[in-house]
Amino acid sequence: MRWSGNEVTRSITDWLLPRRCLLCDAPAGAANLCDACRLDLPRLAQVCPRCAMPVSSPGLCAVCVADPPSFDAALAPLEYTGAARYLLTRFKFHGGLAHGVPLVRLMIELALARPVSERPEALLPVPIHVHRLRERGFNQALELARPVARSLGIPLLSDALARKRSTPPQMSLSESARRANVRGAFELRAIVPARVALVDDVLTTGATAAELARVLKRHGCERVEIWCACRSI
């Protein structure tokens, strides 16, 4: 993504390193945070491997056992609260691309912890409608996906998926309304491999990921994961 006008061309993939911590203004490290703030982020511990919701014992949560989503796995390093929510909000809605760096770093760490044989064959950023892209100036999912793909050596298919109709923001809707809101909103515009991972900023009800997984599986995908910076609990 490139800013227009007099703004400096920046991207989360530039790995910009501010002199001060983004959260407390102390000297910052490589992830744009000081050590104390980095350790204080609301990390998720034991989660359901299917939906990334916290669980008390290893294995699927009760919801995924009874009614599994159409996607096959979810990865998210942080709970969408506190400092993680602040970083994501600044990144997504205020053009603070440097605020995405610590989120990306943790996504990469979590993905690297998995065996290489289990990694997807391609990453697909969740698309936003062209009207939203013009308003915001960038697709936050794509800006997260670029450095993740580069670090893991996984192909990034940035234009494989498209949002073919504009929809109201999901955050303003109930769970059932979210499902209806995204039904039929996406289309596949390229051939994709059998195992892919969608990349997005936050996983909430999973309605968007589930709809995209259904689209991909209708076109031959065998396994669809969702990789996010945060999980809403």
Side-chain angles (χ1 to χ4, degrees), residues 62-85:
V63 173
C64 286
V65 170
D67 186 22
S70 53
F71 52 86
D72 300 282
L75 272 73
L78 299 171
E79 180 182 349
Y80 187 52
T81 188
R85 184 170 189 145

Side-chain angles (χ1 to χ4, degrees), residues 126-205:
V126 171
I128 61 176
H129 193 266
V130 63
H131 293 162
R132 187 69 49 78
L133 182 61
R134 288 170 184 161
E135 292 172 359
R136 188 172 295 161
F138 68 103
N139 178 359
Q140 71 280 357
L142 177 57
E143 294 302 323
L144 292 171
R146 279 176 175 151
V148 173
R150 184 179 63 192
S151 294
L152 298 176
I154 299 175
L156 174 63
L157 306 182
S158 58
D159 298 317
L161 291 166
R163 189 182 287 257
K164 59 184 180 181
R165 63 178 175 84
S166 183
T167 57
Q170 290 285 78
M171 68 178 66
S172 63
L173 304 174
S174 66
E175 183 173 350
S176 60
R178 289 181 184 219
R179 291 194 295 269
N181 190 44
V182 296
R183 193 169 298 128
F186 304 102
E187 63 180 349
L188 184 64
R189 294 182 173 177
I191 297 174
V192 298
R195 296 180 293 109
V196 301
L198 300 162
V199 178
D200 207 358
D201 54 346
V202 59
L203 180 62
T204 307
T205 65

Side-chain angles (χ1 to χ4, degrees), residues 3-4 7 9 11 42 44 46 48 67 72-73 77 83 90 93-94 99 125 142 151 155 157-158 181 188 200 211 229:
W3 296 96
S4 59
E7 294 179 285
T9 300
S11 168
L44 292 169
Q46 186 167 261
C48 170
D67 186 22
D72 300 282
R90 295 298 303 178
F93 298 113
H94 300 280
H99 290 73
L142 177 57
S151 294
L157 306 182
S158 58
N181 190 44
L188 184 64
D200 207 358
E211 178 65 17

